[in-house]
Amino acid sequence: MNSIKVAYLIEQCWHRVPGGTAVAAVNIAEEIYRLEGIDLVGIAANHKKNPKKPIPEGMEIVNSKFPRQILYEMWNKFNIPKVENLAKSVDLVHASGGAIPPTDLPLVATIHDLSWREQNNWFPSRGKRFAETWLNKARKAERIICPSETTLKDLVKAGFDEQIISVVPLGVKKRKVDKEQVEGLLKKNSISMNSDEVNFIITDFKNEINVTYSGAVPNLFEEEKGVVAEGFLNDKKFLVADKILAKHDENYMPPEVKKAIGDQ
């Protein structure tokens, strides 16, 4: 049996704070590797550094000569470069979340949610523009994958044909974990928002931890202010939060931060 060669978007792994879309993209790629008859080749922008979220071991990566911002603008405005001009001899393109690269090949698009439409009070205007552009480009896909019935309903409401949408719940790697609480200051210039989540960094001036959170953030969620994130550690530097608390007192300073300043 001849193998199907799939060009697979893996750019999420180089995001400043890799979030749930990067985790999902990597884990799905690892599971696809287990299937016979499918070969994956990763598609990414031009990067000088290694990805912050490790890609699947042994996965071939084809990098564009353009950095992410330029590549995304070219994809959105001019529909170049096409995937088949980056990765040769591919049969199918899977946009695994976020950007939709241009192609004349059969396209599968994963859309995690349409949160920027439902919670547009905290979503940045540039992010909304990109998200809407990608949503419209996903309309040419032959198959749409989403992780929940809620997203399916939102997609149908947005005009997508329900017949081409498949709900594939995101799985988890089974392991025993304990819930963690991380407290500190919200690092300046660390907030990054996309269609699926908000990502940021909590610091005590000595240590930092990357946090990803899906949901509405508190009103007092501000840079260089106290914040508490509760959730589960994916590794020592990455927390998937299910609750975000902002400290209301403007004079509040977490104990770890107070101590760090005192030691300086």
Side-chain angles (χ1 to χ4, degrees), residues 159-212:
F160 284 79
D161 182 359
E162 186 173 356
Q163 298 301 313
I164 70 168
I165 304 173
S166 296
V167 177
V168 181
L170 296 177
V172 296
K173 292 184 176 180
K174 188 176 180 181
R175 60 181 178 177
K176 185 178 180 180
V177 295
D178 296 320
K179 200 167 186 178
E180 301 283 346
Q181 184 178 87
V182 178
E183 186 173 359
L185 293 185
L186 184 54
K187 185 177 180 180
K188 187 176 181 180
N189 298 324
S190 73
I191 299 175
S192 173
M193 295 180 179
N194 57 39
S195 61
D196 305 306
E197 65 223 351
V198 55
N199 303 290
F200 56 93
I201 296 174
I202 293 178
T203 181
D204 63 3
F205 299 129
K206 288 186 177 180
N207 302 294
E208 295 183 350
I209 187 164
N210 297 311
V211 180
T212 183

Side-chain angles (χ1 to χ4, degrees), residues 144-163:
I144 300 290
I145 298 173
C146 68
S148 69
E149 293 291 336
T150 298
T151 302
L152 184 150
K153 292 177 182 177
D154 288 342
L155 287 168
V156 171
K157 182 179 177 181
F160 284 79
D161 182 359
E162 186 173 356
Q163 298 301 313

Side-chain angles (χ1 to χ4, degrees), residues 18-169:
T21 54
V23 174
V26 169
N27 289 350
I28 290 171
E30 290 174 344
E31 293 304 315
I32 292 176
Y33 263 122
R34 300 174 184 268
L35 303 176
E36 294 184 3
I38 300 179
D39 295 328
L40 285 185
V41 54
I43 300 297
N46 184 25
H47 298 283
K48 295 181 180 179
K49 297 181 179 180
N50 293 328
K52 292 192 174 183
K53 174 67 179 176
I55 61 175
E57 185 176 354
M59 185 177 191
E60 177 190 357
I61 301 296
V62 175
N63 296 94
S64 167
K65 64 182 180 180
F66 302 107
R68 182 190 305 131
Q69 286 189 329
I70 294 177
L71 180 63
Y72 280 5
E73 289 288 357
M74 292 180 67
W75 278 355
N76 289 348
K77 293 182 178 180
F78 307 110
N79 289 316
I80 57 173
K82 292 184 177 179
V83 173
E84 50 268 39
N85 293 331
L86 296 174
K88 304 301 182 182
S89 303
V90 294
D91 304 296
L92 175 73
V93 176
H94 184 175
S96 59
I100 306 293
T103 182
D104 291 327
L105 297 172
L107 173 67
V108 175
T110 294
I111 300 176
H112 292 282
D113 63 59
L114 277 66
S115 61
W116 72 91
R117 288 187 167 189
E118 302 299 325
Q119 300 179 21
N120 56 19
N121 58 317
W122 59 265
F123 211 81
S125 57
R126 184 173 181 273
K128 292 178 192 176
R129 176 171 60 85
F130 271 80
E132 284 292 337
T133 298
W134 292 334
L135 184 66
N136 287 328
K137 287 182 177 295
R139 297 181 189 279
K140 67 169 290 186
E142 296 189 15
R143 177 65 60 180
I144 300 290
I145 298 173
C146 68
S148 69
E149 293 291 336
T150 298
T151 302
L152 184 150
K153 292 177 182 177
D154 288 342
L155 287 168
V156 171
K157 182 179 177 181
F160 284 79
D161 182 359
E162 186 173 356
Q163 298 301 313
I164 70 168
I165 304 173
S166 296
V167 177
V168 181

